[in-house]
Amino acid sequence: MFLFRRNGPRVTVDQVRGRTSGDRPDAVLLDVREEPEWTAGHAPGAVHVPLTKLVAGAALPAEAQGGVLLVICRSGHRSQQAAKLLTARGAHAVDVEGGMNAWAAAGHPVVDERGNTGQTA
C-alpha cells in the first residue's frame, strides 16, 4: 500500500540543473534518500533529509525553507511521496523525474561525502 497516489508536478534533471546552479538559483535540490545512498553519491549543492525523517515529522533545514524544493531520490518513487508530503505541509515541492539514476545518466556530477566523485546507490 502506498502512502500517496502517484502524480503531481515533475521536472527533468536538466531543468533541475538549470534551476539550482549558476548565479541565481531559484530552487533547492532536496535529496530524500537514506544516509548510505547520500554518502555514496549525491548532486553537488543538494540538501539532505531522508524521507523516513520527513514522514516522522522532521523539519527542513534552513536552506530548504521558504523556496521551491526540487525533490530527488534514486528513481523517483520516494521523491514523489516526499513532494506530496511537503506540499501538504505548505511547501512548494516538485518531484524530479527519474531521480539520481536519471541525473547520473544525463552526465551531471555526483559527489560523495568528501566531495570526491561519487556513485548513485
Side-chain angles (χ1 to χ4, degrees):
M1 173 187 246
F2 295 106
L3 293 174
F4 304 97
R5 288 183 6 193
R6 288 187 171 204
N7 57 25
R10 302 182 95 187
V11 294
T12 67
V13 294
D14 290 332
Q15 290 169 317
V16 170
R17 186 77 190 268
R19 294 190 67 182
T20 60
S21 61
D23 293 337
R24 294 184 183 201
D26 71 348
V28 172
L29 182 59
L30 178 66
D31 193 319
V32 297
R33 297 175 300 149
E34 295 303 314
E35 191 68 35
E37 296 169 292
W38 167 264
T39 301
H42 54 272
V47 175
H48 182 232
V49 181
L51 176 61
T52 52
K53 290 186 179 183
L54 288 173
V55 169
L60 292 170
E63 63 267 35
Q65 293 181 7
V68 176
L69 299 172
L70 305 178
V71 187
I72 197 165
C73 66
R74 182 179 39 129
S75 63
H77 179 72
R78 288 174 286 178
S79 58
Q80 286 181 18
Q81 292 179 18
K84 288 183 184 210
L85 174 71
L86 291 165
T87 298
R89 291 184 187 173
H92 184 177
V94 180
D95 176 48
V96 177
E97 188 173 3
M100 285 300 296
N101 289 340
W103 179 269
H108 299 313
V110 177
V111 296
D112 67 12
E113 65 185 67
R114 291 178 223 95
N116 299 318
T117 300
Q119 60 185 340
T120 59

